[in-house]
Every structure is written in C-alpha cells, then in structure tokens.
C-alpha cells in the first residue's frame, strides 16, 4: 500500500462501454477506468509499477486487462503489474476494466521514458604532470594518466613548439582496477603559450578533462573539469561526482 500511495494519478483518456441492467434498462453509471505508475518519470530498463485506480459506484470491478503496447491486444492480469520499457520516448499504455454486470471502460495514458543519466567513470582518472619550470616554459619529465580499463585517453597540443598535434591511447582491459599510461612524446620542453588538453573518456560515462597552459617562469595554469559522455566537451562535474 505504501507504493500505491506514492503513485501519481495519470492524465488518462477514458472510454466507457455501458451494459443493460434489469429489464433492458441501461445502468446509470459505468466503471471509471484509471491507473497510475511509479516511478512517475521512469528510465529505460527501469522496473515500473502500474496500478489500477479504477472505481465503480454500483458494481464491483472483476476484471483487469492491460495493453502495454498502446494498440495491441489486452492481456488479463491483476490490478497491479510490473513492466519495463527498453527504449526512450513516449509509450502508450491502456487498461480495460470490467464490472460484475458486464459494463467496462478503457483508460489510456502516455508514459514518457528517458535514458538514465550517465554515470561517472570510476575509478576517476588521475592526470599527473611533473616538470621543471624554466624561463622559457616547462620541461615536462612525466605526463601520465591513470584510468580504468576500457577508457580512451587523448592528449592534444596547441601552439608553437608542440612536438605533435595529438596522441591517443587506450587503457587495455585487464584484471586490474586502473591502468597507467605514459605519453613520452610530450615529455620535453614546451614553450610558454602552449596548451595541452587531456581527455579521458568511455562511452556513456562522464570522464575527465584537464587543460594546461604553459607559462614563463611560473607553473602551468591547470584546469580540471569533467568531460561529457560523448568525450568531447568539458562540463561541470555532477553533484557528488
């Protein structure tokens, strides 16, 4: 009953089919079909509870039939059923209720299903840069990335003095929790004004973005943010991520 109490009433379309009462006199009222679902904003693959909230003032409701395809056949079931939707988008669900006197009605509602929010890449990547600050820039002695198996790491270099424009490596899947990859070709003197961008990504996950601006006589200006699940655009890290 606690779950049913949490259900939100749906906006439904109701079709009523009357039944004749004694001596062929049509009954004054017919069952009112309606249903709710929980959670109210489901994600793909997430279990959803559908619960009838149908009422009838004159005759008990004896039958519940559900159409989860929004235009298919009704299947007999109880007043509460569970289902999942494998795809995002709008899904029409119908409920047919029948009272003891044979009268019935149908309720239809549209459920909006969305993809679940992207999870954070775990363990979260660590970008390490070790070097010597010089008058002309930064002499990098170590540029490495620690990332979980399956992650893709790219290093892009912009500005005059870059040894190459970009390099990409993949964290080969292994039995360890994290893989450390080293980018030797960038371990050299980088003059002031050069910008290094490190992206650590994995499909469907929020990754890591690090930006280094090489400066004269000062440590590089470093910016660490999260990376969108597409692995392209820096973004604010999710709350608690």
């Amino acid at each position: 009953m606690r779950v049913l109490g949490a259900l939100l009433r749906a906006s439904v379309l109701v079709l009523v089919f009357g039944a004749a009462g004694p001596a062929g006199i049509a009954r004054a009222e017919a069952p009112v079909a309606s249903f709710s679902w929980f959670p109210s904003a489901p994600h793909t693959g997430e279990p959803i509870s559908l619960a009838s909230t149908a009422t009838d003032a004159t005759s008990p409701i004896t039958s519940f039939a559900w159409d989860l395809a929004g235009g298919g056949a009704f299947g007999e079931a109880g007043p509460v059923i569970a289902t999942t939707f494998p795809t995002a988008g709008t899904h029409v669900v119908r409920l047919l209720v029948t009272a003891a006197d044979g009268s019935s009605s149908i309720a239809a509602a549209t459920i909006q299903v969305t993809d679940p929010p992207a999870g954070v890449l775990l363990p979260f990547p660590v970008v390490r840069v070790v070097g010597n600050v010089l008058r002309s820039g930064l002499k990098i002695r170590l540029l490495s990335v620690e990332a979980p198996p399956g992650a893709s790491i790219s290093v892009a270099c912009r500005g005059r003095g870059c040894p190459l424009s970009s390099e990409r490596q993949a964290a080969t899947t292994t039995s360890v929790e994290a893989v450390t990859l080293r980018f030797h070709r960038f371990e050299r003197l980088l003059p002031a004004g050069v910008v290094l961008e490190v992206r650590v990504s994995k499909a469907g996950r929020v990754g890591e973005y690090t930006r280094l601006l090489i400066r004269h006589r000062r440590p590089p200006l470093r910016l660490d943010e999260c990376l969108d699940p597409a692995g392209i655009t820096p973004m604010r890290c999710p709350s608690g991520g």
Side-chain angles (χ1 to χ4, degrees), residues 149-235:
S152 175
I153 303 98
S154 68
V155 178
C157 186
R158 294 187 289 108
R160 183 174 298 177
C162 288
L164 66 162
S165 60
S166 64
E167 182 181 354
R168 182 180 295 272
Q169 296 188 44
T172 305
T173 302
T174 67
S175 59
V176 300
E177 186 180 48
V179 178
T180 299
L181 299 174
R182 190 166 174 177
F183 292 80
H184 295 280
R185 299 174 71 182
F186 292 97
E187 295 175 353
R188 52 167 291 170
L189 175 63
L190 297 181
V194 165
V195 174
L196 284 181
E197 292 181 299
V198 181
R199 288 176 168 84
V200 187
S201 61
K202 190 174 182 178
R205 296 288 178 178
V206 174
E208 152 79 0
Y209 172 82
T210 297
R211 181 180 185 271
L212 293 171
L213 171 61
I214 309 302
R215 301 186 292 179
H216 291 287
R217 297 181 179 179
R218 290 181 294 173
L221 187 62
R222 177 166 176 160
L223 171 67
D224 288 287
E225 292 186 299
C226 283
L227 191 67
D228 74 310
I232 299 174
T233 307
M235 57 175 279

Side-chain angles (χ1 to χ4, degrees), residues 23-42:
I25 301 174
R27 57 179 292 196
E29 298 183 19
V32 178
S34 62
F35 62 93
S36 301
W37 60 89
F38 180 84
S40 59

Side-chain angles (χ1 to χ4, degrees), residues 2 11 37 42 46 133-134 143 171 190-191 194 211:
R2 179 174 298 176
S11 297
W37 60 89
E46 182 179 20
V133 176
L134 304 176
L143 174 57
L190 297 181
V194 165
R211 181 180 185 271

Side-chain angles (χ1 to χ4, degrees), residues 9-104:
R9 180 168 296 276
S11 297
V12 296
L13 171 67
V14 180
L15 302 177
V16 178
F17 302 88
I25 301 174
R27 57 179 292 196
E29 298 183 19
V32 178
S34 62
F35 62 93
S36 301
W37 60 89
F38 180 84
S40 59
H43 299 305
T44 54
E46 182 179 20
I48 303 170
S49 295
L50 300 164
S52 169
T53 52
T55 59
D56 193 315
T58 58
S59 181
I61 297 175
T62 57
S63 174
F64 303 86
W66 297 86
D67 167 24
L68 301 179
F74 285 98
E76 291 287 339
V80 179
I81 65 170
T83 189
T84 61
F85 294 104
T87 59
T90 56
H91 296 266
V92 177
V93 174
R94 299 190 299 161
L95 168 65
L96 168 63
V97 296
T98 304
D101 63 4
S103 61
S104 62

